[in-house]
Amino acid sequence: KKAIIDPSLFKYKVQPIKKDLYETVIVKASQLSRRKHLFSRDRLKLFLKQHCEPHDGVIKTKASSIEKYNLAEKNFSDFFPDDPPTFIFSPASRRRGRPPKRASTSLEDMITAEQNTQVKRSKVAREKTKFQKQKE
């Protein structure tokens, strides 16, 4: 496996929007930044709505975006310097969160609960008498 490349070593080719006024420049990673509120959750949602769509439970890039940005000709290494990630399959859990409370209790459940409280009371009574005998 390849060693991970330090992001600070990258250099970026910055192409101006108005090419007649400015020229292309190569800059270090430390020279690039964005304004504080330029990226937000709302903007990310808008981006995903414009460029992605669900297909059989998987979010995929829209055909119009693939065509517009020539993504069919690109691969993972064009965007990321390291090897593609390998994801380990883990089966989905059947239970998520706490189980729901039951709406009504049956007669059997009520009897069982009553017996449990009686057992607890008798244990408490035994402990109490044991403690009193130790005190004397």
Side-chain angles (χ1 to χ4, degrees):
K1 190 174 180 180
K2 291 193 304 185
I4 297 174
I5 300 170
D6 183 20
S8 64
L9 298 176
F10 285 100
K11 292 186 179 182
Y12 297 91
K13 186 176 183 180
V14 180
Q15 295 178 339
I17 296 171
K18 299 178 181 178
K19 294 184 180 185
D20 53 319
L21 296 176
Y22 304 99
E23 60 185 55
T24 302
V25 181
I26 296 175
V27 297
K28 296 177 186 175
S30 61
Q31 294 174 294
L32 293 177
S33 64
R34 62 174 148 83
R35 281 179 268 142
K36 194 173 187 176
H37 299 290
L38 197 61
F39 182 78
S40 67
R41 175 179 271 171
D42 293 332
R43 286 181 184 250
L44 178 59
K45 282 184 179 181
L46 179 63
F47 174 80
L48 291 173
K49 282 182 185 178
Q50 290 175 342
H51 299 285
C52 301
E53 57 192 359
H55 282 282
D56 300 324
V58 178
I59 298 173
K60 294 190 175 185
T61 310
K62 288 183 180 178
S64 59
S65 297
I66 291 173
E67 190 177 315
K68 182 178 179 181
Y69 298 107
N70 297 324
L71 296 178
E73 301 165 10
K74 308 280 184 192
N75 60 26
F76 187 85
S77 62
D78 291 331
F79 300 102
F80 303 100
D82 298 323
D83 293 330
T86 53
F87 297 103
I88 299 168
F89 175 76
S90 59
S93 174
R94 291 193 174 264
R95 285 186 57 208
R96 292 191 177 221
R98 294 196 310 191
K101 289 186 176 180
R102 296 194 315 209
S104 64
T105 57
S106 66
L107 181 61
E108 292 173 358
D109 291 340
M110 292 174 65
I111 292 170
T112 306
E114 182 64 32
Q115 288 172 346
N116 287 340
T117 53
Q118 287 175 356
V119 169
K120 287 178 185 175
R121 286 183 193 153
S122 64
K123 282 184 181 178
V124 170
R126 277 187 261 140
E127 289 290 324
K128 194 174 186 180
T129 55
K130 185 179 175 183
F131 182 70
Q132 285 177 347
K133 286 181 182 178
Q134 286 177 352
K135 222 177 185 183
E136 293 173 356

mmCIF file of all heavy atoms in Angstrom, residues 2 7 10 13 19-20 24 26 33 41 46 49 67 78 113-114 118:
data_model
loop_
_atom_site.group_PDB
_atom_site.id
_atom_site.type_symbol
_atom_site.label_atom_id
_atom_site.label_comp_id
_atom_site.label_asym_id
_atom_site.label_seq_id
_atom_site.Cartn_x
_atom_site.Cartn_y
_atom_site.Cartn_z
ATOM 1 N N LYS A 2 0.444 2.255 -0.736
ATOM 2 C CA LYS A 2 1.228 3.490 -0.826
ATOM 3 C C LYS A 2 1.132 4.286 0.473
ATOM 4 O O LYS A 2 0.133 4.219 1.181
ATOM 5 C CB LYS A 2 0.699 4.376 -1.961
ATOM 6 C CG LYS A 2 0.955 3.827 -3.348
ATOM 7 C CD LYS A 2 0.713 4.846 -4.440
ATOM 8 C CE LYS A 2 -0.665 5.427 -4.410
ATOM 9 N NZ LYS A 2 -0.942 6.331 -5.526
ATOM 10 N N PRO A 7 -0.914 16.643 2.581
ATOM 11 C CA PRO A 7 -1.660 17.632 1.788
ATOM 12 C C PRO A 7 -0.938 18.969 1.630
ATOM 13 O O PRO A 7 -1.164 19.688 0.658
ATOM 14 C CB PRO A 7 -2.958 17.830 2.566
ATOM 15 C CG PRO A 7 -3.057 16.686 3.485
ATOM 16 C CD PRO A 7 -1.675 16.184 3.719
ATOM 17 N N PHE A 10 1.020 19.690 -1.759
ATOM 18 C CA PHE A 10 0.338 19.890 -3.036
ATOM 19 C C PHE A 10 0.515 21.312 -3.549
ATOM 20 O O PHE A 10 0.601 22.261 -2.784
ATOM 21 C CB PHE A 10 -1.161 19.607 -2.908
ATOM 22 C CG PHE A 10 -1.488 18.154 -2.833
ATOM 23 C CD1 PHE A 10 -1.740 17.560 -1.625
ATOM 24 C CD2 PHE A 10 -1.539 17.387 -3.979
ATOM 25 C CE1 PHE A 10 -2.044 16.220 -1.535
ATOM 26 C CE2 PHE A 10 -1.850 16.043 -3.917
ATOM 27 C CZ PHE A 10 -2.098 15.459 -2.683
ATOM 28 N N LYS A 13 -3.057 24.480 -9.610
ATOM 29 C CA LYS A 13 -3.079 25.350 -10.776
ATOM 30 C C LYS A 13 -4.414 26.101 -10.743
ATOM 31 O O LYS A 13 -5.478 25.492 -10.879
ATOM 32 C CB LYS A 13 -2.974 24.502 -12.048
ATOM 33 C CG LYS A 13 -2.835 25.282 -13.308
ATOM 34 C CD LYS A 13 -2.652 24.308 -14.474
ATOM 35 C CE LYS A 13 -2.444 25.038 -15.754
ATOM 36 N NZ LYS A 13 -2.272 24.102 -16.882
ATOM 37 N N LYS A 19 -10.255 35.041 -18.212
ATOM 38 C CA LYS A 19 -8.915 34.707 -18.700
ATOM 39 C C LYS A 19 -8.234 35.855 -19.441
ATOM 40 O O LYS A 19 -7.014 35.901 -19.518
ATOM 41 C CB LYS A 19 -8.978 33.469 -19.596
ATOM 42 C CG LYS A 19 -9.387 32.235 -18.819
ATOM 43 C CD LYS A 19 -9.372 31.005 -19.656
ATOM 44 C CE LYS A 19 -9.805 29.833 -18.787
ATOM 45 N NZ LYS A 19 -9.722 28.560 -19.430
ATOM 46 N N ASP A 20 -9.025 36.800 -19.946
ATOM 47 C CA ASP A 20 -8.410 37.931 -20.660
ATOM 48 C C ASP A 20 -7.786 38.941 -19.690
ATOM 49 O O ASP A 20 -6.885 39.680 -20.053
ATOM 50 C CB ASP A 20 -9.443 38.609 -21.566
ATOM 51 C CG ASP A 20 -10.715 38.991 -20.828
ATOM 52 O OD1 ASP A 20 -11.175 38.186 -19.995
ATOM 53 O OD2 ASP A 20 -11.238 40.095 -21.074
ATOM 54 N N THR A 24 -3.074 32.179 -15.573
ATOM 55 C CA THR A 24 -3.080 31.004 -14.716
ATOM 56 C C THR A 24 -1.857 31.038 -13.796
ATOM 57 O O THR A 24 -0.755 31.365 -14.226
ATOM 58 C CB THR A 24 -3.057 29.725 -15.577
ATOM 59 O OG1 THR A 24 -4.187 29.750 -16.441
ATOM 60 C CG2 THR A 24 -3.098 28.487 -14.726
ATOM 61 N N ILE A 26 0.249 28.983 -10.382
ATOM 62 C CA ILE A 26 0.417 27.788 -9.548
ATOM 63 C C ILE A 26 0.719 28.250 -8.131
ATOM 64 O O ILE A 26 1.647 29.041 -7.903
ATOM 65 C CB ILE A 26 1.542 26.892 -10.094
ATOM 66 C CG1 ILE A 26 1.152 26.379 -11.482
ATOM 67 C CG2 ILE A 26 1.810 25.735 -9.142
ATOM 68 C CD1 ILE A 26 2.221 25.574 -12.170
ATOM 69 N N SER A 33 -7.581 29.409 0.523
ATOM 70 C CA SER A 33 -8.565 29.404 1.616
ATOM 71 C C SER A 33 -9.894 29.881 1.055
ATOM 72 O O SER A 33 -9.977 30.347 -0.075
ATOM 73 C CB SER A 33 -8.106 30.311 2.757
ATOM 74 O OG SER A 33 -8.050 31.645 2.314
ATOM 75 N N ARG A 41 -24.419 23.933 5.153
ATOM 76 C CA ARG A 41 -25.258 22.761 4.975
ATOM 77 C C ARG A 41 -26.302 23.000 3.884
ATOM 78 O O ARG A 41 -26.578 22.136 3.053
ATOM 79 C CB ARG A 41 -25.939 22.415 6.298
ATOM 80 C CG ARG A 41 -26.926 21.269 6.170
ATOM 81 C CD ARG A 41 -27.538 20.955 7.486
ATOM 82 N NE ARG A 41 -26.673 19.987 8.133
ATOM 83 C CZ ARG A 41 -26.792 19.585 9.371
ATOM 84 N NH1 ARG A 41 -27.722 20.093 10.134
ATOM 85 N NH2 ARG A 41 -25.995 18.685 9.876
ATOM 86 N N LEU A 46 -28.298 22.027 -1.676
ATOM 87 C CA LEU A 46 -28.619 22.552 -3.001
ATOM 88 C C LEU A 46 -27.738 21.889 -4.069
ATOM 89 O O LEU A 46 -28.222 21.473 -5.125
ATOM 90 C CB LEU A 46 -28.437 24.072 -3.037
ATOM 91 C CG LEU A 46 -28.713 24.752 -4.366
ATOM 92 C CD1 LEU A 46 -30.174 24.582 -4.775
ATOM 93 C CD2 LEU A 46 -28.360 26.227 -4.277
ATOM 94 N N LYS A 49 -28.960 18.366 -4.656
ATOM 95 C CA LYS A 49 -30.220 18.352 -5.422
ATOM 96 C C LYS A 49 -29.977 18.632 -6.901
ATOM 97 O O LYS A 49 -30.614 18.046 -7.764
ATOM 98 C CB LYS A 49 -31.191 19.404 -4.869
ATOM 99 C CG LYS A 49 -31.888 18.980 -3.607
ATOM 100 C CD LYS A 49 -32.855 20.051 -3.166
ATOM 101 C CE LYS A 49 -33.487 19.699 -1.842
ATOM 102 N NZ LYS A 49 -34.392 20.761 -1.365
ATOM 103 N N GLU A 67 -22.087 14.734 -18.036
ATOM 104 C CA GLU A 67 -21.780 15.247 -19.367
ATOM 105 C C GLU A 67 -21.151 16.638 -19.308
ATOM 106 O O GLU A 67 -20.152 16.919 -19.981
ATOM 107 C CB GLU A 67 -23.072 15.294 -20.191
ATOM 108 C CG GLU A 67 -22.866 15.586 -21.653
ATOM 109 C CD GLU A 67 -24.179 15.547 -22.415
ATOM 110 O OE1 GLU A 67 -24.963 14.611 -22.200
ATOM 111 O OE2 GLU A 67 -24.401 16.473 -23.215
ATOM 112 N N ASP A 78 -7.797 11.047 -10.444
ATOM 113 C CA ASP A 78 -7.791 12.421 -10.947
ATOM 114 C C ASP A 78 -8.188 13.418 -9.856
ATOM 115 O O ASP A 78 -7.860 14.600 -9.950
ATOM 116 C CB ASP A 78 -8.756 12.568 -12.126
ATOM 117 C CG ASP A 78 -8.266 11.835 -13.361
ATOM 118 O OD1 ASP A 78 -7.032 11.696 -13.514
ATOM 119 O OD2 ASP A 78 -9.114 11.400 -14.157
ATOM 120 N N ALA A 113 -45.224 -9.341 37.568
ATOM 121 C CA ALA A 113 -44.715 -8.127 38.208
ATOM 122 C C ALA A 113 -45.038 -8.130 39.700
ATOM 123 O O ALA A 113 -44.196 -7.756 40.532
ATOM 124 C CB ALA A 113 -45.313 -6.895 37.537
ATOM 125 N N GLU A 114 -46.251 -8.547 40.049
ATOM 126 C CA GLU A 114 -46.659 -8.605 41.474
ATOM 127 C C GLU A 114 -45.801 -9.608 42.236
ATOM 128 O O GLU A 114 -45.355 -9.338 43.343
ATOM 129 C CB GLU A 114 -48.147 -8.972 41.580
ATOM 130 C CG GLU A 114 -48.683 -9.003 43.000
ATOM 131 C CD GLU A 114 -48.646 -7.648 43.680
ATOM 132 O OE1 GLU A 114 -48.804 -6.634 42.989
ATOM 133 O OE2 GLU A 114 -48.435 -7.622 44.910
ATOM 134 N N GLN A 118 -43.205 -8.942 45.441
ATOM 135 C CA GLN A 118 -43.311 -9.685 46.699
ATOM 136 C C GLN A 118 -41.968 -10.320 47.062
ATOM 137 O O GLN A 118 -41.554 -10.305 48.218
ATOM 138 C CB GLN A 118 -44.391 -10.758 46.595
ATOM 139 C CG GLN A 118 -45.802 -10.208 46.610
ATOM 140 C CD GLN A 118 -46.853 -11.287 46.379
ATOM 141 O OE1 GLN A 118 -46.512 -12.437 46.127
ATOM 142 N NE2 GLN A 118 -48.110 -10.886 46.449
#
